[in-house]
mmCIF file of all heavy atoms in Angstrom:
data_model
loop_
_atom_site.group_PDB
_atom_site.id
_atom_site.type_symbol
_atom_site.label_atom_id
_atom_site.label_comp_id
_atom_site.label_asym_id
_atom_site.label_seq_id
_atom_site.Cartn_x
_atom_site.Cartn_y
_atom_site.Cartn_z
ATOM 1 N N MET Z 1 60.333 -119.994 143.622
ATOM 2 C CA MET Z 1 59.067 -119.413 144.056
ATOM 3 C C MET Z 1 57.914 -120.376 143.814
ATOM 4 O O MET Z 1 57.074 -120.548 144.672
ATOM 5 C CB MET Z 1 58.865 -118.090 143.306
ATOM 6 C CG MET Z 1 57.597 -117.398 143.618
ATOM 7 S SD MET Z 1 57.716 -116.537 145.169
ATOM 8 C CE MET Z 1 56.179 -115.704 145.175
ATOM 9 N N ILE Z 2 57.877 -120.988 142.634
ATOM 10 C CA ILE Z 2 56.786 -121.912 142.335
ATOM 11 C C ILE Z 2 56.875 -123.160 143.207
ATOM 12 O O ILE Z 2 55.850 -123.724 143.599
ATOM 13 C CB ILE Z 2 56.761 -122.271 140.828
ATOM 14 C CG1 ILE Z 2 55.472 -123.024 140.462
ATOM 15 C CG2 ILE Z 2 57.944 -123.091 140.433
ATOM 16 C CD1 ILE Z 2 54.283 -122.152 140.376
ATOM 17 N N THR Z 3 58.093 -123.565 143.556
ATOM 18 C CA THR Z 3 58.261 -124.739 144.423
ATOM 19 C C THR Z 3 57.677 -124.461 145.805
ATOM 20 O O THR Z 3 57.072 -125.350 146.412
ATOM 21 C CB THR Z 3 59.757 -125.097 144.540
ATOM 22 O OG1 THR Z 3 60.296 -125.227 143.235
ATOM 23 C CG2 THR Z 3 59.944 -126.375 145.292
ATOM 24 N N ASP Z 4 57.839 -123.244 146.290
ATOM 25 C CA ASP Z 4 57.257 -122.874 147.582
ATOM 26 C C ASP Z 4 55.735 -123.011 147.555
ATOM 27 O O ASP Z 4 55.138 -123.510 148.506
ATOM 28 C CB ASP Z 4 57.627 -121.443 147.949
ATOM 29 C CG ASP Z 4 59.101 -121.274 148.230
ATOM 30 O OD1 ASP Z 4 59.762 -122.286 148.513
ATOM 31 O OD2 ASP Z 4 59.580 -120.128 148.153
ATOM 32 N N ARG Z 5 55.128 -122.572 146.469
ATOM 33 C CA ARG Z 5 53.667 -122.665 146.346
ATOM 34 C C ARG Z 5 53.202 -124.118 146.262
ATOM 35 O O ARG Z 5 52.187 -124.484 146.844
ATOM 36 C CB ARG Z 5 53.178 -121.912 145.103
ATOM 37 C CG ARG Z 5 53.295 -120.434 145.211
ATOM 38 C CD ARG Z 5 52.237 -119.917 146.146
ATOM 39 N NE ARG Z 5 52.353 -118.471 146.232
ATOM 40 C CZ ARG Z 5 51.398 -117.693 146.629
ATOM 41 N NH1 ARG Z 5 50.255 -118.199 146.966
ATOM 42 N NH2 ARG Z 5 51.586 -116.411 146.697
ATOM 43 N N ILE Z 6 53.947 -124.932 145.525
ATOM 44 C CA ILE Z 6 53.579 -126.347 145.400
ATOM 45 C C ILE Z 6 53.680 -127.045 146.744
ATOM 46 O O ILE Z 6 52.776 -127.793 147.148
ATOM 47 C CB ILE Z 6 54.456 -127.045 144.340
ATOM 48 C CG1 ILE Z 6 54.120 -126.511 142.950
ATOM 49 C CG2 ILE Z 6 54.273 -128.554 144.387
ATOM 50 C CD1 ILE Z 6 55.069 -126.963 141.869
ATOM 51 N N LEU Z 7 54.761 -126.811 147.468
ATOM 52 C CA LEU Z 7 54.915 -127.430 148.783
ATOM 53 C C LEU Z 7 53.870 -126.913 149.768
ATOM 54 O O LEU Z 7 53.350 -127.679 150.589
ATOM 55 C CB LEU Z 7 56.322 -127.175 149.315
ATOM 56 C CG LEU Z 7 57.430 -127.952 148.619
ATOM 57 C CD1 LEU Z 7 58.792 -127.515 149.151
ATOM 58 C CD2 LEU Z 7 57.239 -129.433 148.786
ATOM 59 N N ALA Z 8 53.542 -125.632 149.694
ATOM 60 C CA ALA Z 8 52.509 -125.082 150.572
ATOM 61 C C ALA Z 8 51.145 -125.689 150.247
ATOM 62 O O ALA Z 8 50.369 -126.003 151.157
ATOM 63 C CB ALA Z 8 52.468 -123.566 150.436
ATOM 64 N N ALA Z 9 50.852 -125.871 148.967
ATOM 65 C CA ALA Z 9 49.588 -126.490 148.583
ATOM 66 C C ALA Z 9 49.532 -127.947 149.048
ATOM 67 O O ALA Z 9 48.488 -128.419 149.517
ATOM 68 C CB ALA Z 9 49.395 -126.404 147.077
ATOM 69 N N PHE Z 10 50.641 -128.668 148.933
ATOM 70 C CA PHE Z 10 50.686 -130.049 149.412
ATOM 71 C C PHE Z 10 50.476 -130.110 150.918
ATOM 72 O O PHE Z 10 49.732 -130.967 151.422
ATOM 73 C CB PHE Z 10 52.021 -130.692 149.029
ATOM 74 C CG PHE Z 10 52.155 -132.104 149.523
ATOM 75 C CD1 PHE Z 10 51.409 -133.114 148.964
ATOM 76 C CD2 PHE Z 10 53.014 -132.404 150.558
ATOM 77 C CE1 PHE Z 10 51.517 -134.414 149.420
ATOM 78 C CE2 PHE Z 10 53.142 -133.696 151.030
ATOM 79 C CZ PHE Z 10 52.383 -134.705 150.457
ATOM 80 N N ALA Z 11 51.105 -129.199 151.644
ATOM 81 C CA ALA Z 11 50.922 -129.153 153.098
ATOM 82 C C ALA Z 11 49.480 -128.824 153.455
ATOM 83 O O ALA Z 11 48.918 -129.387 154.397
ATOM 84 C CB ALA Z 11 51.875 -128.125 153.708
ATOM 85 N N MET Z 12 48.862 -127.935 152.694
ATOM 86 C CA MET Z 12 47.478 -127.571 152.958
ATOM 87 C C MET Z 12 46.550 -128.751 152.685
ATOM 88 O O MET Z 12 45.617 -129.002 153.459
ATOM 89 C CB MET Z 12 47.089 -126.377 152.093
ATOM 90 C CG MET Z 12 45.805 -125.738 152.465
ATOM 91 S SD MET Z 12 45.636 -124.199 151.564
ATOM 92 C CE MET Z 12 44.023 -123.711 152.048
ATOM 93 N N LEU Z 13 46.786 -129.496 151.618
ATOM 94 C CA LEU Z 13 45.981 -130.685 151.337
ATOM 95 C C LEU Z 13 46.149 -131.741 152.429
ATOM 96 O O LEU Z 13 45.185 -132.412 152.809
ATOM 97 C CB LEU Z 13 46.357 -131.261 149.972
ATOM 98 C CG LEU Z 13 45.900 -130.465 148.770
ATOM 99 C CD1 LEU Z 13 46.455 -131.076 147.483
ATOM 100 C CD2 LEU Z 13 44.390 -130.392 148.718
ATOM 101 N N THR Z 14 47.367 -131.886 152.930
ATOM 102 C CA THR Z 14 47.606 -132.822 154.028
ATOM 103 C C THR Z 14 46.839 -132.390 155.277
ATOM 104 O O THR Z 14 46.231 -133.219 155.963
ATOM 105 C CB THR Z 14 49.111 -132.909 154.323
ATOM 106 O OG1 THR Z 14 49.799 -133.277 153.139
ATOM 107 C CG2 THR Z 14 49.402 -133.918 155.408
ATOM 108 N N LEU Z 15 46.848 -131.097 155.557
ATOM 109 C CA LEU Z 15 46.090 -130.575 156.698
ATOM 110 C C LEU Z 15 44.596 -130.805 156.506
ATOM 111 O O LEU Z 15 43.903 -131.199 157.440
ATOM 112 C CB LEU Z 15 46.384 -129.085 156.896
ATOM 113 C CG LEU Z 15 45.664 -128.412 158.057
ATOM 114 C CD1 LEU Z 15 46.152 -128.986 159.385
ATOM 115 C CD2 LEU Z 15 45.875 -126.916 158.012
ATOM 116 N N PHE Z 16 44.083 -130.558 155.281
ATOM 117 C CA PHE Z 16 42.676 -130.822 154.987
ATOM 118 C C PHE Z 16 42.334 -132.276 155.257
ATOM 119 O O PHE Z 16 41.293 -132.587 155.839
ATOM 120 C CB PHE Z 16 42.356 -130.516 153.526
ATOM 121 C CG PHE Z 16 42.185 -129.063 153.205
ATOM 122 C CD1 PHE Z 16 42.042 -128.661 151.897
ATOM 123 C CD2 PHE Z 16 42.172 -128.094 154.186
ATOM 124 C CE1 PHE Z 16 41.881 -127.340 151.567
ATOM 125 C CE2 PHE Z 16 42.014 -126.761 153.881
ATOM 126 C CZ PHE Z 16 41.863 -126.385 152.566
ATOM 127 N N GLY Z 17 43.203 -133.179 154.811
ATOM 128 C CA GLY Z 17 42.960 -134.606 155.019
ATOM 129 C C GLY Z 17 42.926 -134.970 156.492
ATOM 130 O O GLY Z 17 42.024 -135.683 156.945
ATOM 131 N N PHE Z 18 43.893 -134.496 157.242
ATOM 132 C CA PHE Z 18 43.946 -134.788 158.669
ATOM 133 C C PHE Z 18 42.723 -134.247 159.397
ATOM 134 O O PHE Z 18 42.077 -134.954 160.180
ATOM 135 C CB PHE Z 18 45.221 -134.212 159.280
ATOM 136 C CG PHE Z 18 45.277 -134.349 160.772
ATOM 137 C CD1 PHE Z 18 45.557 -135.567 161.364
ATOM 138 C CD2 PHE Z 18 45.038 -133.255 161.588
ATOM 139 C CE1 PHE Z 18 45.593 -135.697 162.741
ATOM 140 C CE2 PHE Z 18 45.070 -133.372 162.960
ATOM 141 C CZ PHE Z 18 45.351 -134.599 163.539
ATOM 142 N N LEU Z 19 42.389 -132.987 159.136
ATOM 143 C CA LEU Z 19 41.247 -132.386 159.819
ATOM 144 C C LEU Z 19 39.926 -133.004 159.363
ATOM 145 O O LEU Z 19 38.986 -133.121 160.147
ATOM 146 C CB LEU Z 19 41.247 -130.871 159.619
ATOM 147 C CG LEU Z 19 42.401 -130.124 160.278
ATOM 148 C CD1 LEU Z 19 42.341 -128.652 159.922
ATOM 149 C CD2 LEU Z 19 42.416 -130.322 161.768
ATOM 150 N N GLY Z 20 39.860 -133.422 158.097
ATOM 151 C CA GLY Z 20 38.658 -134.091 157.601
ATOM 152 C C GLY Z 20 38.419 -135.410 158.317
ATOM 153 O O GLY Z 20 37.288 -135.735 158.702
ATOM 154 N N ILE Z 21 39.487 -136.189 158.509
ATOM 155 C CA ILE Z 21 39.374 -137.448 159.248
ATOM 156 C C ILE Z 21 38.972 -137.172 160.693
ATOM 157 O O ILE Z 21 38.120 -137.877 161.259
ATOM 158 C CB ILE Z 21 40.694 -138.226 159.175
ATOM 159 C CG1 ILE Z 21 40.926 -138.725 157.766
ATOM 160 C CG2 ILE Z 21 40.702 -139.390 160.165
ATOM 161 C CD1 ILE Z 21 42.305 -139.299 157.525
ATOM 162 N N LEU Z 22 39.546 -136.152 161.287
ATOM 163 C CA LEU Z 22 39.219 -135.801 162.667
ATOM 164 C C LEU Z 22 37.737 -135.466 162.816
ATOM 165 O O LEU Z 22 37.055 -135.977 163.704
ATOM 166 C CB LEU Z 22 40.084 -134.626 163.133
ATOM 167 C CG LEU Z 22 39.876 -134.138 164.557
ATOM 168 C CD1 LEU Z 22 40.284 -135.223 165.548
ATOM 169 C CD2 LEU Z 22 40.658 -132.868 164.793
ATOM 170 N N VAL Z 23 37.224 -134.637 161.913
ATOM 171 C CA VAL Z 23 35.814 -134.229 161.987
ATOM 172 C C VAL Z 23 34.896 -135.417 161.654
ATOM 173 O O VAL Z 23 33.822 -135.548 162.231
ATOM 174 C CB VAL Z 23 35.546 -133.029 161.052
ATOM 175 C CG1 VAL Z 23 34.072 -132.758 160.898
ATOM 176 C CG2 VAL Z 23 36.257 -131.794 161.571
ATOM 177 N N TRP Z 24 35.333 -136.287 160.747
ATOM 178 C CA TRP Z 24 34.509 -137.440 160.363
ATOM 179 C C TRP Z 24 34.302 -138.393 161.549
ATOM 180 O O TRP Z 24 33.205 -138.904 161.750
ATOM 181 C CB TRP Z 24 35.180 -138.166 159.210
ATOM 182 C CG TRP Z 24 34.383 -139.329 158.713
ATOM 183 C CD1 TRP Z 24 34.538 -140.635 159.042
ATOM 184 C CD2 TRP Z 24 33.285 -139.272 157.804
ATOM 185 N NE1 TRP Z 24 33.618 -141.392 158.394
ATOM 186 C CE2 TRP Z 24 32.826 -140.588 157.619
ATOM 187 C CE3 TRP Z 24 32.651 -138.235 157.132
ATOM 188 C CZ2 TRP Z 24 31.765 -140.890 156.788
ATOM 189 C CZ3 TRP Z 24 31.601 -138.552 156.294
ATOM 190 C CH2 TRP Z 24 31.171 -139.858 156.134
ATOM 191 N N PHE Z 25 35.358 -138.630 162.305
ATOM 192 C CA PHE Z 25 35.270 -139.586 163.407
ATOM 193 C C PHE Z 25 34.854 -138.955 164.742
ATOM 194 O O PHE Z 25 34.472 -139.672 165.660
ATOM 195 C CB PHE Z 25 36.594 -140.337 163.579
ATOM 196 C CG PHE Z 25 36.808 -141.367 162.509
ATOM 197 C CD1 PHE Z 25 37.705 -141.145 161.486
ATOM 198 C CD2 PHE Z 25 36.087 -142.546 162.516
ATOM 199 C CE1 PHE Z 25 37.895 -142.084 160.494
ATOM 200 C CE2 PHE Z 25 36.266 -143.502 161.532
ATOM 201 C CZ PHE Z 25 37.169 -143.271 160.513
ATOM 202 N N VAL Z 26 34.955 -137.637 164.862
ATOM 203 C CA VAL Z 26 34.522 -136.945 166.079
ATOM 204 C C VAL Z 26 33.575 -135.816 165.649
ATOM 205 O O VAL Z 26 33.956 -134.647 165.618
ATOM 206 C CB VAL Z 26 35.728 -136.368 166.866
ATOM 207 C CG1 VAL Z 26 35.266 -135.782 168.187
ATOM 208 C CG2 VAL Z 26 36.802 -137.412 167.080
ATOM 209 N N PRO Z 27 32.338 -136.165 165.288
ATOM 210 C CA PRO Z 27 31.420 -135.148 164.741
ATOM 211 C C PRO Z 27 30.795 -134.286 165.836
ATOM 212 O O PRO Z 27 29.735 -134.581 166.370
ATOM 213 C CB PRO Z 27 30.356 -136.002 164.040
ATOM 214 C CG PRO Z 27 30.359 -137.291 164.772
ATOM 215 C CD PRO Z 27 31.772 -137.494 165.252
ATOM 216 N N ARG Z 28 31.488 -133.217 166.174
ATOM 217 C CA ARG Z 28 30.976 -132.266 167.164
ATOM 218 C C ARG Z 28 30.952 -130.880 166.546
ATOM 219 O O ARG Z 28 31.840 -130.524 165.766
ATOM 220 C CB ARG Z 28 31.866 -132.261 168.405
ATOM 221 C CG ARG Z 28 31.853 -133.608 169.110
ATOM 222 C CD ARG Z 28 32.410 -133.523 170.466
ATOM 223 N NE ARG Z 28 32.017 -132.280 171.128
ATOM 224 C CZ ARG Z 28 31.751 -132.180 172.401
ATOM 225 N NH1 ARG Z 28 31.829 -133.236 173.158
ATOM 226 N NH2 ARG Z 28 31.427 -131.027 172.937
ATOM 227 N N LEU Z 29 29.968 -130.104 166.913
ATOM 228 C CA LEU Z 29 29.796 -128.770 166.332
ATOM 229 C C LEU Z 29 30.967 -127.854 166.678
ATOM 230 O O LEU Z 29 31.501 -127.164 165.804
ATOM 231 C CB LEU Z 29 28.483 -128.151 166.801
ATOM 232 C CG LEU Z 29 28.181 -126.754 166.266
ATOM 233 C CD1 LEU Z 29 28.073 -126.793 164.747
ATOM 234 C CD2 LEU Z 29 26.935 -126.204 166.897
ATOM 235 N N ASP Z 30 31.376 -127.845 167.942
ATOM 236 C CA ASP Z 30 32.468 -126.944 168.336
ATOM 237 C C ASP Z 30 33.780 -127.321 167.654
ATOM 238 O O ASP Z 30 34.546 -126.445 167.243
ATOM 239 C CB ASP Z 30 32.623 -126.900 169.847
ATOM 240 C CG ASP Z 30 32.796 -128.273 170.474
ATOM 241 O OD1 ASP Z 30 32.568 -129.283 169.793
ATOM 242 O OD2 ASP Z 30 33.146 -128.326 171.668
ATOM 243 N N LEU Z 31 34.033 -128.602 167.481
ATOM 244 C CA LEU Z 31 35.238 -129.035 166.766
ATOM 245 C C LEU Z 31 35.168 -128.617 165.301
ATOM 246 O O LEU Z 31 36.164 -128.172 164.720
ATOM 247 C CB LEU Z 31 35.408 -130.546 166.877
ATOM 248 C CG LEU Z 31 36.602 -131.142 166.146
ATOM 249 C CD1 LEU Z 31 37.900 -130.604 166.727
ATOM 250 C CD2 LEU Z 31 36.570 -132.652 166.211
ATOM 251 N N GLY Z 32 33.997 -128.728 164.703
ATOM 252 C CA GLY Z 32 33.815 -128.309 163.311
ATOM 253 C C GLY Z 32 34.066 -126.826 163.122
ATOM 254 O O GLY Z 32 34.662 -126.414 162.125
ATOM 255 N N ILE Z 33 33.642 -126.022 164.076
ATOM 256 C CA ILE Z 33 33.870 -124.576 163.984
ATOM 257 C C ILE Z 33 35.356 -124.261 164.074
ATOM 258 O O ILE Z 33 35.878 -123.447 163.304
ATOM 259 C CB ILE Z 33 33.066 -123.844 165.087
ATOM 260 C CG1 ILE Z 33 31.575 -123.957 164.799
ATOM 261 C CG2 ILE Z 33 33.493 -122.386 165.197
ATOM 262 C CD1 ILE Z 33 30.690 -123.492 165.929
ATOM 263 N N VAL Z 34 36.059 -124.912 164.987
ATOM 264 C CA VAL Z 34 37.506 -124.701 165.121
ATOM 265 C C VAL Z 34 38.225 -125.137 163.851
ATOM 266 O O VAL Z 34 39.148 -124.457 163.373
ATOM 267 C CB VAL Z 34 38.056 -125.437 166.362
ATOM 268 C CG1 VAL Z 34 39.567 -125.429 166.374
ATOM 269 C CG2 VAL Z 34 37.504 -124.821 167.627
ATOM 270 N N VAL Z 35 37.805 -126.243 163.264
ATOM 271 C CA VAL Z 35 38.422 -126.722 162.020
ATOM 272 C C VAL Z 35 38.177 -125.733 160.890
ATOM 273 O O VAL Z 35 39.085 -125.432 160.105
ATOM 274 C CB VAL Z 35 37.898 -128.136 161.675
ATOM 275 C CG1 VAL Z 35 38.245 -128.514 160.250
ATOM 276 C CG2 VAL Z 35 38.464 -129.154 162.643
ATOM 277 N N LEU Z 36 36.973 -125.195 160.786
ATOM 278 C CA LEU Z 36 36.690 -124.203 159.740
ATOM 279 C C LEU Z 36 37.536 -122.943 159.906
ATOM 280 O O LEU Z 36 38.035 -122.388 158.925
ATOM 281 C CB LEU Z 36 35.205 -123.853 159.739
ATOM 282 C CG LEU Z 36 34.279 -124.912 159.162
ATOM 283 C CD1 LEU Z 36 32.825 -124.469 159.296
ATOM 284 C CD2 LEU Z 36 34.619 -125.188 157.715
ATOM 285 N N ILE Z 37 37.705 -122.488 161.125
ATOM 286 C CA ILE Z 37 38.551 -121.321 161.380
ATOM 287 C C ILE Z 37 39.995 -121.623 160.998
ATOM 288 O O ILE Z 37 40.674 -120.801 160.370
ATOM 289 C CB ILE Z 37 38.442 -120.873 162.853
ATOM 290 C CG1 ILE Z 37 37.047 -120.320 163.121
ATOM 291 C CG2 ILE Z 37 39.509 -119.855 163.204
ATOM 292 C CD1 ILE Z 37 36.748 -120.080 164.581
ATOM 293 N N THR Z 38 40.472 -122.818 161.344
ATOM 294 C CA THR Z 38 41.839 -123.222 161.003
ATOM 295 C C THR Z 38 42.029 -123.265 159.497
ATOM 296 O O THR Z 38 43.036 -122.770 158.965
ATOM 297 C CB THR Z 38 42.150 -124.597 161.615
ATOM 298 O OG1 THR Z 38 41.970 -124.532 163.024
ATOM 299 C CG2 THR Z 38 43.564 -125.030 161.297
ATOM 300 N N LEU Z 39 41.079 -123.846 158.777
ATOM 301 C CA LEU Z 39 41.187 -123.918 157.323
ATOM 302 C C LEU Z 39 41.123 -122.537 156.682
ATOM 303 O O LEU Z 39 41.825 -122.263 155.704
ATOM 304 C CB LEU Z 39 40.099 -124.829 156.767
ATOM 305 C CG LEU Z 39 40.229 -126.301 157.158
ATOM 306 C CD1 LEU Z 39 39.065 -127.095 156.594
ATOM 307 C CD2 LEU Z 39 41.550 -126.875 156.711
ATOM 308 N N ALA Z 40 40.293 -121.660 157.233
ATOM 309 C CA ALA Z 40 40.218 -120.292 156.705
ATOM 310 C C ALA Z 40 41.544 -119.562 156.893
ATOM 311 O O ALA Z 40 41.996 -118.841 155.991
ATOM 312 C CB ALA Z 40 39.085 -119.534 157.386
ATOM 313 N N MET Z 41 42.180 -119.750 158.041
ATOM 314 C CA MET Z 41 43.468 -119.082 158.274
ATOM 315 C C MET Z 41 44.559 -119.639 157.351
ATOM 316 O O MET Z 41 45.384 -118.871 156.847
ATOM 317 C CB MET Z 41 43.881 -119.228 159.736
ATOM 318 C CG MET Z 41 43.047 -118.388 160.670
ATOM 319 S SD MET Z 41 43.664 -118.294 162.366
ATOM 320 C CE MET Z 41 43.811 -119.981 162.848
ATOM 321 N N THR Z 42 44.560 -120.944 157.105
ATOM 322 C CA THR Z 42 45.573 -121.502 156.192
ATOM 323 C C THR Z 42 45.322 -121.046 154.762
ATOM 324 O O THR Z 42 46.264 -120.768 154.021
ATOM 325 C CB THR Z 42 45.603 -123.041 156.254
ATOM 326 O OG1 THR Z 42 44.326 -123.556 155.931
ATOM 327 C CG2 THR Z 42 46.035 -123.520 157.615
ATOM 328 N N PHE Z 43 44.053 -120.965 154.362
ATOM 329 C CA PHE Z 43 43.726 -120.484 153.021
ATOM 330 C C PHE Z 43 44.182 -119.035 152.840
ATOM 331 O O PHE Z 43 44.774 -118.682 151.827
ATOM 332 C CB PHE Z 43 42.220 -120.607 152.790
ATOM 333 C CG PHE Z 43 41.785 -120.226 151.407
ATOM 334 C CD1 PHE Z 43 41.937 -121.104 150.356
ATOM 335 C CD2 PHE Z 43 41.228 -118.981 151.168
ATOM 336 C CE1 PHE Z 43 41.541 -120.755 149.074
ATOM 337 C CE2 PHE Z 43 40.826 -118.621 149.897
ATOM 338 C CZ PHE Z 43 40.984 -119.510 148.848
ATOM 339 N N TYR Z 44 43.928 -118.215 153.847
ATOM 340 C CA TYR Z 44 44.371 -116.818 153.801
ATOM 341 C C TYR Z 44 45.892 -116.728 153.709
ATOM 342 O O TYR Z 44 46.437 -115.972 152.912
ATOM 343 C CB TYR Z 44 43.873 -116.064 155.036
ATOM 344 C CG TYR Z 44 44.502 -114.688 155.176
ATOM 345 C CD1 TYR Z 44 44.034 -113.630 154.409
ATOM 346 C CD2 TYR Z 44 45.567 -114.471 156.042
ATOM 347 C CE1 TYR Z 44 44.614 -112.374 154.508
ATOM 348 C CE2 TYR Z 44 46.150 -113.224 156.142
ATOM 349 C CZ TYR Z 44 45.677 -112.184 155.384
ATOM 350 O OH TYR Z 44 46.271 -110.951 155.485
ATOM 351 N N ASP Z 45 46.572 -117.513 154.519
ATOM 352 C CA ASP Z 45 48.028 -117.467 154.537
ATOM 353 C C ASP Z 45 48.618 -117.916 153.208
ATOM 354 O O ASP Z 45 49.598 -117.351 152.733
ATOM 355 C CB ASP Z 45 48.562 -118.339 155.668
ATOM 356 C CG ASP Z 45 50.053 -118.187 155.859
ATOM 357 O OD1 ASP Z 45 50.520 -117.030 155.895
ATOM 358 O OD2 ASP Z 45 50.742 -119.211 155.981
ATOM 359 N N LEU Z 46 48.015 -118.890 152.577
ATOM 360 C CA LEU Z 46 48.549 -119.405 151.323
ATOM 361 C C LEU Z 46 48.290 -118.468 150.157
ATOM 362 O O LEU Z 46 49.157 -118.257 149.313
ATOM 363 C CB LEU Z 46 47.957 -120.784 151.025
ATOM 364 C CG LEU Z 46 48.466 -121.475 149.763
ATOM 365 C CD1 LEU Z 46 49.974 -121.702 149.859
ATOM 366 C CD2 LEU Z 46 47.741 -122.771 149.540
ATOM 367 N N PHE Z 47 47.102 -117.877 150.078
ATOM 368 C CA PHE Z 47 46.725 -117.134 148.876
ATOM 369 C C PHE Z 47 46.720 -115.619 149.007
ATOM 370 O O PHE Z 47 46.856 -114.918 148.021
ATOM 371 C CB PHE Z 47 45.347 -117.589 148.401
ATOM 372 C CG PHE Z 47 45.341 -119.002 147.898
ATOM 373 C CD1 PHE Z 47 44.706 -119.996 148.621
ATOM 374 C CD2 PHE Z 47 45.996 -119.329 146.735
ATOM 375 C CE1 PHE Z 47 44.705 -121.292 148.167
ATOM 376 C CE2 PHE Z 47 46.009 -120.628 146.273
ATOM 377 C CZ PHE Z 47 45.361 -121.612 146.986
ATOM 378 N N PHE Z 48 46.553 -115.072 150.206
ATOM 379 C CA PHE Z 48 46.397 -113.625 150.329
ATOM 380 C C PHE Z 48 47.488 -112.923 151.123
ATOM 381 O O PHE Z 48 47.642 -111.718 151.004
ATOM 382 C CB PHE Z 48 45.037 -113.292 150.957
ATOM 383 C CG PHE Z 48 43.883 -113.738 150.111
ATOM 384 C CD1 PHE Z 48 43.073 -114.780 150.515
ATOM 385 C CD2 PHE Z 48 43.626 -113.121 148.909
ATOM 386 C CE1 PHE Z 48 42.020 -115.196 149.736
ATOM 387 C CE2 PHE Z 48 42.575 -113.528 148.114
ATOM 388 C CZ PHE Z 48 41.776 -114.574 148.532
ATOM 389 N N HIS Z 49 48.188 -113.649 151.932
ATOM 390 C CA HIS Z 49 49.223 -113.041 152.767
ATOM 391 C C HIS Z 49 50.426 -112.639 151.917
ATOM 392 O O HIS Z 49 50.940 -113.432 151.148
ATOM 393 C CB HIS Z 49 49.665 -114.024 153.859
ATOM 394 C CG HIS Z 49 50.658 -113.469 154.800
ATOM 395 N ND1 HIS Z 49 50.332 -112.528 155.749
ATOM 396 C CD2 HIS Z 49 51.977 -113.710 154.944
ATOM 397 C CE1 HIS Z 49 51.425 -112.226 156.426
ATOM 398 N NE2 HIS Z 49 52.416 -112.924 155.968
ATOM 399 N N ARG Z 50 50.850 -111.417 152.057
ATOM 400 C CA ARG Z 50 52.015 -110.925 151.304
ATOM 401 C C ARG Z 50 53.252 -111.038 152.168
ATOM 402 O O ARG Z 50 53.285 -110.553 153.307
ATOM 403 C CB ARG Z 50 51.822 -109.454 150.907
ATOM 404 C CG ARG Z 50 50.626 -109.216 150.072
ATOM 405 C CD ARG Z 50 50.916 -109.567 148.638
ATOM 406 N NE ARG Z 50 49.748 -109.227 147.827
ATOM 407 C CZ ARG Z 50 49.372 -109.923 146.801
ATOM 408 N NH1 ARG Z 50 50.051 -110.969 146.434
ATOM 409 N NH2 ARG Z 50 48.317 -109.572 146.113
ATOM 410 N N ARG Z 51 54.266 -111.659 151.632
ATOM 411 C CA ARG Z 51 55.507 -111.803 152.368
ATOM 412 C C ARG Z 51 56.457 -110.659 152.038
ATOM 413 O O ARG Z 51 56.506 -110.189 150.909
ATOM 414 C CB ARG Z 51 56.187 -113.127 152.008
ATOM 415 C CG ARG Z 51 55.379 -114.290 152.445
ATOM 416 C CD ARG Z 51 56.153 -115.569 152.263
ATOM 417 N NE ARG Z 51 55.306 -116.670 152.682
ATOM 418 C CZ ARG Z 51 55.085 -117.734 151.958
ATOM 419 N NH1 ARG Z 51 55.659 -117.883 150.804
ATOM 420 N NH2 ARG Z 51 54.297 -118.678 152.399
ATOM 421 N N ARG Z 52 57.197 -110.244 153.037
ATOM 422 C CA ARG Z 52 58.196 -109.200 152.808
ATOM 423 C C ARG Z 52 59.468 -109.838 152.244
ATOM 424 O O ARG Z 52 59.882 -110.898 152.661
ATOM 425 C CB ARG Z 52 58.530 -108.487 154.113
ATOM 426 C CG ARG Z 52 57.375 -107.731 154.658
ATOM 427 C CD ARG Z 52 57.780 -107.001 155.894
ATOM 428 N NE ARG Z 52 56.590 -106.376 156.490
ATOM 429 C CZ ARG Z 52 56.626 -105.642 157.555
ATOM 430 N NH1 ARG Z 52 57.749 -105.428 158.175
ATOM 431 N NH2 ARG Z 52 55.517 -105.117 158.014
ATOM 432 N N LEU Z 53 60.056 -109.167 151.295
ATOM 433 C CA LEU Z 53 61.289 -109.680 150.674
ATOM 434 C C LEU Z 53 62.513 -109.087 151.301
ATOM 435 O O LEU Z 53 62.569 -108.063 151.832
ATOM 436 C CB LEU Z 53 61.279 -109.412 149.181
ATOM 437 C CG LEU Z 53 60.158 -110.106 148.424
ATOM 438 C CD1 LEU Z 53 60.197 -109.680 146.974
ATOM 439 C CD2 LEU Z 53 60.299 -111.606 148.511
#
């Protein structure tokens, strides 16, 4: 169980890095909004979503 959380956190950090580079080199408002929505959904999925056993 803890390994799943560690791997999910690593994947989320990788996504943050990729999207951060994307927004840094293509600074557009609409792209920034889409990135924020994407990050919010990944944060929700990692910390608040309950999985069925």
Side-chain angles (χ1 to χ4, degrees):
M1 178 79 174
I2 191 76
T3 307
D4 293 340
R5 290 286 181 160
I6 292 171
L7 288 175
F10 178 71
M12 192 170 175
L13 288 175
T14 304
L15 180 66
F16 282 173
F18 174 76
L19 293 176
I21 291 170
L22 180 65
V23 169
W24 182 263
F25 286 105
V26 186
R28 296 195 38 144
L29 180 62
D30 54 348
L31 178 63
I33 292 170
V34 170
V35 166
L36 286 177
I37 292 170
T38 302
L39 294 178
M41 288 190 305
T42 58
F43 184 79
Y44 170 79
D45 188 47
L46 182 61
F47 293 110
F48 297 111
H49 183 72
R50 301 279 184 215
R51 295 188 181 129
R52 295 183 186 182
L53 297 176

